[in-house]
Amino acid sequence: METPDWHTGRSFLKQTHLQEPSPSTGTETGNPKVCGTCEPSQVLIALPQVSDIPMDPMLLSDIMEMRRTVREYSDEPLMKWELSLMLHYTQGVSETGGAPHLRNAPSAGALHPFETYIVVNRVEGLEPGIYRYLPLDHALVKETCHVGGGEAVAAACRRPNIILRAAVAFLWIAVPDRILWKFGSRGWRYLFIESGHVCQNLYLIATALGCGTCAIGSYRDDEMNCALGLDGEEQFCIYLAAVGKRKD
Ligand SMILES: Cc1cc2nc3c(=O)[nH]c(=O)nc-3n(C[C@H](O)[C@H](O)[C@H](O)COP(=O)(O)O)c2cc1C
């Protein structure tokens, strides 16, 4: 067990105290960094539209009671429509009317400072590999610039087998610039808080679909960022979760 380092925590809290007046330097409509886009050469892989997916009604209170961390999964693949629901309820756009767009998880200033990557091991109709989710298109693009693919992602985790045995792993990539321009240093807190909201949504929708989820916070940051081709500063992996069909 590591000795707790109080200094780092105290200094983080102190340096992220609320500043008055707000350090905001831009306008929300003028902020260009709300959502990642793909290269023109990348092929969009459309996901099933959520409105076309019939779901058995379940009580939210029952789903919340049933939610548990699951680390062992069956060999059964996930269906693409199940993945579609998981992406939609974690980072999907639910209201496009105004600016900014609203999504299925809350975000300070609706700035949504994450990109979602997925490691696909077993999803019907998708080759294994690493993909990035495009919320506005509700589509995936295959990412090829990663060093070592899903295996390198798993190797960066303290318990690689959870990722290796999952049908799919979700990786939330923080893009601090998207939130710091508005909230200044306070925005650092929001990054970590918001990733929890997103992961909880995954737990809930996965439970409703008969799947198990395991949130993962114990990974070697540098190794993980390197595996994903991220610089670790402008973009870094903030949280992960593995998902698969339950064995029982
Ligand atoms: C921030 C956070 C990080 C976690 N990291 C890991 C992890 O790295 N590996 C793991 O096996 N479980 C991880 N978990 C899952 C917890 O161990 C689990 O939530 C806890 O044992 C309680 O079980 P429950 O989720 O079934 O209620 C994490 C959970 C949270 C909220």
Side-chain angles (χ1 to χ4, degrees):
M1 186 75 172
E2 289 165 34
T3 315
D5 168 13
W6 283 90
H7 172 74
T8 302
R10 283 191 189 125
S11 122
F12 173 79
L13 291 177
K14 198 160 184 192
Q15 286 172 34
T16 56
H17 276 184
L18 187 65
Q19 301 293 312
E20 297 287 5
S22 157
S24 172
T25 53
T27 62
E28 277 170 41
T29 45
N31 173 27
K33 312 176 196 87
V34 279
C35 206
T37 50
C38 64
E39 299 296 322
S41 58
Q42 287 183 298
V43 178
L44 286 194
I45 304 164
L47 289 161
Q49 282 303 312
V50 171
S51 52
D52 297 338
I53 302 173
M55 270 197 77
D56 291 338
M58 277 179 86
L59 279 179
L60 180 59
S61 50
D62 287 345
I63 296 171
M64 289 168 111
E65 294 276 356
M66 284 161 61
R67 183 217 61 82
R68 282 290 168 273
T69 291
V70 175
R71 300 181 179 83
E72 299 277 342
Y73 312 102
S74 84
D75 293 335
E76 202 186 327
L78 280 197
M79 297 292 114
K80 218 197 247 180
W81 64 265
E82 292 173 311
L83 177 64
S84 169
L85 289 173
M86 290 175 192
L87 288 164
H88 176 71
Y89 287 112
T90 49
Q91 279 290 267
V93 174
S94 51
E95 225 179 285
T96 50
H101 303 305
L102 300 177
R103 303 201 197 180
N104 290 314
S107 169
L111 293 171
H112 298 286
F114 305 126
E115 292 289 310
T116 306
Y117 284 60
I118 55 170
V119 172
V120 168
N121 291 331
R122 282 185 312 285
V123 177
E124 160 265 358
L126 282 179
E127 279 173 29
I130 298 182
Y131 297 77
R132 190 159 54 91
Y133 177 54
L134 301 180
L136 284 171
D137 300 290
H138 193 55
L140 294 169
V141 281
K142 190 146 195 218
E143 295 289 349
T144 48
C145 58
H146 304 301
V147 189
E151 282 176 15
V153 168
C157 295
R158 193 169 270 172
R159 293 177 65 181
N161 279 343
I162 301 177
I163 299 280
L164 292 173
R165 292 183 190 148
V168 63
F170 287 67
L171 297 98
W172 293 291
I173 309 308
V175 188
D177 213 21
R178 279 193 204 151
I179 201 158
L180 299 184
W181 70 271
K182 183 172 175 73
F183 296 109
S185 302
R186 187 86 178 165
W188 288 109
R189 292 195 194 202
Y190 299 161
L191 285 174
F192 293 90
I193 294 169
E194 289 186 24
S195 66
H197 293 309
V198 175
C199 189
Q200 177 70 357
N201 278 14
L202 180 63
Y203 265 97
L204 296 178
I205 184 63
T207 303
L209 295 170
C211 294
T213 306
C214 179
I216 296 177
S218 51
Y219 55 88
R220 289 174 290 280
D221 299 70
D222 289 344
E223 209 176 311
M224 181 63 78
N225 290 328
C226 179
L228 295 168
L230 307 173
D231 67 3
E233 291 192 356
E234 298 208 357
Q235 296 200 9
F236 61 90
C237 179
I238 194 162
Y239 206 11
L240 273 79
V243 180
K245 288 279 175 188
R246 295 179 71 113
K247 274 191 160 171
D248 42 31

